[in-house]
Each structure stands twice: as structure tokens, then as C-alpha cells.
Amino acid sequence: MDAQFYLKMFRTVKIASAATVDADGNPQSRIINVMLCEPEGLYIVTSRGKPFYRQLAETGKIALSAMAPDCQSLKLSGRARKVEQKWVDRVFEQNPGMNEVYPGESRYALDAFLIYEGSGEWFDLLHYPIRRETFSFGGAPEEHCGFEITGSCIGCGACADACPQKCISEGTPYKIAWEHCLQCGLCSETCPVGAIRRLHR
Amino acid sequence: MDAQFYLKMFRTVKIASAATVDADGNPQSRIINVMLCEPEGLYIVTSRGKPFYRQLAETGKIALSAMAPDCQSLKLSGRARKVEQKWVDRVFEQNPGMNEVYPGESRYALDAFLIYEGSGEWFDLLHYPIRRETFSFGGAPEEHCGFEITGSCIGCGACADACPQKCISEGTPYKIAWEHCLQCGLCSETCPVGAIRRLHR
């Protein structure tokens, strides 16, 4: 699926958590609204008085996660930069409820930020088999986590037996259906010859 | 309000975003379930194969945020440590749906983590005036963000006029009702003598 499909899903859900890293290297997270979805990315706003603003402006780094209906979850990690004030006006046009919180000119306490690149994942835990898809936009590489069975596989099937989601199929080597994998790591822990490697750090 | 009240609210909402910092210093966020609330903190689980596990085990740092009904939001930033396997069993007792995802012994692909200290905030954006409260537990200091009007205040009232939430009252000095403050920073930007200082970095 196209990244724009998932970015639009973020905008439809609207309520997301935004994570940043503070000056002490601690993660910080708060609920925000995804204000606009455009071909170039997602727009959010925050006011200059908030720690969120400072962390975002200083690091340019942000992660979002959101819960969509039917136990579908979304996440992305990417980069954001401050954009022109006209985007604050666009946000207020599209989200008129903002005028109750920031009436009149007070809207300009806010700046708009564009999340212009990122890589993310959609995950459906409700249906069996579970399903995940990755996406990326703005030139970020798509990131696959999880595990891969290498050519050292001896075909014993221990991994397939251990898999709680039964997403490993026979073959030479055995193969993990990445899109149905929990990424629990049991296959890798069970493999008697260490043939299953982690795709991420 | 007691911190335990807000920790229980996290558990009631159950769906939260958990933020960590990865090895490259990037924020990462994903949807998780808050599995247990006990006097000593909140319990969560994650499997050893996931990047979330690694980031949590390596840094011990986590931030949660969650959306409660009626536009109330919760957040906290704190510390987590891995706890004994019996807590995985407790989690499965209290959250039997977990058996569908991790049947039988496969539950032990998971480890449990206790968020044993943290400071956080509850925020109600639905009602006027908006309201926030802070809390902390496990010995973490309570963290107040926002602004404070110092003794340099000349009593001109520019801050009170600028405040979108009208939460600044006359006095010597003028005073911000911290619990009703958006933390937008307009008061500080407007003050002609720089008498309003930021409480956080």
C-alpha cells in the first residue's frame, strides 16, 4: 500500500501520540492531533511555550503512533521541520474547533510543523493471521524489523513448531511470512543451529 | 489527586502509546496495552524479538501517553525494569485475550516490565477552563512545565489580555492559574519587561 494511504489513516484517526527526545535523552510523549495530510506529509501544530515545541524544534525528530478502529495500529518515526505561518491558518480552516482553544490572534502562539519524511508500520492484531505492512515517505528507507531464516537452516522445523502465529513454512530454507510475524523472536531462540537472524538492531 | 488514581486511569484506558529512544537517538513509538496497575507501578509486556524490548531493556526509559474518554489525555515519562516471569503469568490471568496471540508456552517469548517511577500529567481539553494536574510516583519529582510571573511584574496586564484561556489574574505580581494554562507562551512573549519565566527547559 502507498504511504499516502497510511498518512491519510493517521489524519482520519486524528488522535495520535507524538514522541520526542528531551535534552536529557529521555523519551517524552503526549497526545496530539494530526491536523492536515498533504502529499508532502503530515502537518501538526504546537505552541512555542511547550516542551514539545522545544524538543521538536531542537531535534527535528518525531515518532507518532495511533490506534485506528478494529485494533489496527499505526506508527512512524521521522523528521519534522517548522513551516510558514500560513499553515497555521490552513490548520484552523480544516479544524475549526481550534478556535475555541486559541481564539482570534492567539492562534499565532502556535507554529506548524511538517513531518516530511518517515518510515512506519501498520499492524492489524484483530484478525488471524495478524498482519503488518511497512511504508515510508519523503525519501526515508522502509524499515523491516523481525527475523529472517538464512541458508544455514537444516530444515528441522523447530522454528515452525515454536511459532505462536504459525507463520513459518517449510522449504530450503524455511521461510517466515514477514507480514504475519509477531516479531516475538521464539523462532530465533529455538533454532538449534542459529540460522535465524534479526533484521534490526 | 494521588498518582495511583492516574495510573489506574492508564490501566482502565488500557491502550497507550509507549515511546522509547533507539540506538541512534531517535524517538520510537508504538501502541501497547497497559496490562496491570499495582501499587508499585504499571506492568507491560513485550517480546524479546522486538525493537521495543531492546530499547526498553537497554535504556530503562519509557514514556506513555493515552487518550481517555471525554478528551482527557494522560502522559508520563519514567523508568522501567524487567521483572520476574511470574508477572507474565499474572498479565495473562488478567488479560486472557493474550492467549489468542501467544498460545500455550509461547507466552514466555514475552518478558514483563514494571514502570516503577515516573512523573506525568492529566489534561482535560474538553471543558472550559481547560484543566491539568501533575502526578509522580516511585520517588520521581513532580514536573511542572509552563510559566511563572516573577517579582519584576509591573502590573500592566498585557499578559492577561494576551492569554487565550484568560487564566491570568491581577495582583502584585499578576498570577497564572497553572492548572488552567495552555502553556502556549503568549504571556511571556507579550510581557514588556520580561517578567515571565519558563518553568522548564
Side-chain angles (χ1 to χ4, degrees), chain A residues 115-190:
Chain A
I115 304 173
Y116 61 91
E117 69 164 55
S119 65
E121 193 177 88
W122 169 88
F123 185 51
D124 177 2
L125 194 62
L126 186 66
H127 298 96
Y128 182 81
I130 62 157
R131 197 153 63 93
R132 62 176 83 236
E133 289 191 30
T134 57
F135 61 90
S136 70
F137 63 102
E142 217 159 295
E143 277 180 23
H144 273 253
C145 297
F147 294 85
E148 183 181 55
I149 305 180
T150 66
S152 316
C153 171
I154 56 168
C156 71
C159 58
D161 290 341
C163 175
Q165 291 287 326
K166 301 300 166 204
C167 71
I168 302 179
S169 54
E170 270 185 63
T172 312
Y174 273 52
K175 193 169 179 351
I176 299 169
W178 179 87
E179 69 277 19
H180 301 309
C181 168
L182 278 174
Q183 303 178 348
C184 73
L186 271 186
C187 56
S188 169
E189 294 182 2
T190 305

Side-chain angles (χ1 to χ4, degrees), chain B residues 5 136 193:
Chain B
F5 177 84
S136 69
V193 295

Side-chain angles (χ1 to χ4, degrees), chain B residues 136-154:
Chain B
S136 69
F137 63 102
E142 218 159 292
E143 276 180 25
H144 273 253
C145 297
F147 294 85
E148 183 181 54
I149 305 180
T150 66
S152 317
C153 171
I154 56 170

Side-chain angles (χ1 to χ4, degrees), chain A residues 9 12-13 66-74 122-124 126-127:
Chain A
M9 197 185 290
T12 303
V13 174
M67 193 73 194
D70 293 334
C71 239
Q72 295 175 33
S73 66
L74 284 167
W122 169 88
F123 185 51
D124 177 2
L126 186 66
H127 298 96

Side-chain angles (χ1 to χ4, degrees), chain B residues 63-182:
Chain B
L64 297 184
S65 59
M67 193 73 194
D70 291 336
C71 239
Q72 295 173 34
S73 66
L74 283 167
K75 64 178 179 178
L76 71 80
S77 182
R79 304 270 163 173
R81 61 177 157 76
K82 196 167 80 171
V83 291
E84 309 87 305
Q85 204 177 67
K86 71 175 183 192
W87 288 102
V88 174
D89 294 324
R90 283 284 298 281
V91 162
F92 275 63
E93 278 163 37
Q94 301 289 319
N95 302 270
M98 288 294 288
N99 285 297
E100 293 181 31
V101 183
Y102 289 99
E105 292 290 299
S106 73
R107 68 168 65 171
Y108 301 117
L110 302 164
D111 277 317
F113 287 81
L114 167 63
I115 304 173
Y116 61 91
E117 70 165 54
S119 65
E121 193 177 86
W122 168 88
F123 185 51
D124 176 2
L125 194 62
L126 186 66
H127 299 95
Y128 182 82
I130 62 155
R131 197 154 62 94
R132 62 175 85 235
E133 290 191 31
T134 56
F135 61 88
S136 69
F137 63 102
E142 218 159 292
E143 276 180 25
H144 273 253
C145 297
F147 294 85
E148 183 181 54
I149 305 180
T150 66
S152 317
C153 171
I154 56 170
C156 70
C159 57
D161 290 342
C163 175
Q165 290 288 324
K166 300 303 167 204
C167 70
I168 302 179
S169 54
E170 270 185 63
T172 313
Y174 272 51
K175 192 171 177 355
I176 299 170
W178 179 87
E179 69 277 20
H180 301 308
C181 168
L182 278 175

Side-chain angles (χ1 to χ4, degrees), chain B residues 16-68:
Chain B
S17 287
T20 47
V21 181
D22 72 14
D24 298 321
N26 295 316
Q28 298 289 347
S29 176
R30 74 288 291 165
I31 299 293
I32 64 156
N33 285 341
V34 177
M35 293 295 188
L36 299 170
C37 175
E38 298 289 336
E40 64 274 21
L42 297 174
Y43 289 86
I44 60 173
V45 293
T46 184
S47 55
R48 289 181 295 280
K50 290 189 200 295
F52 179 36
Y53 185 101
R54 186 164 286 198
Q55 291 155 21
L56 201 54
E58 284 179 1
T59 68
K61 297 175 175 179
I62 188 169
L64 297 184
S65 59
M67 193 73 194

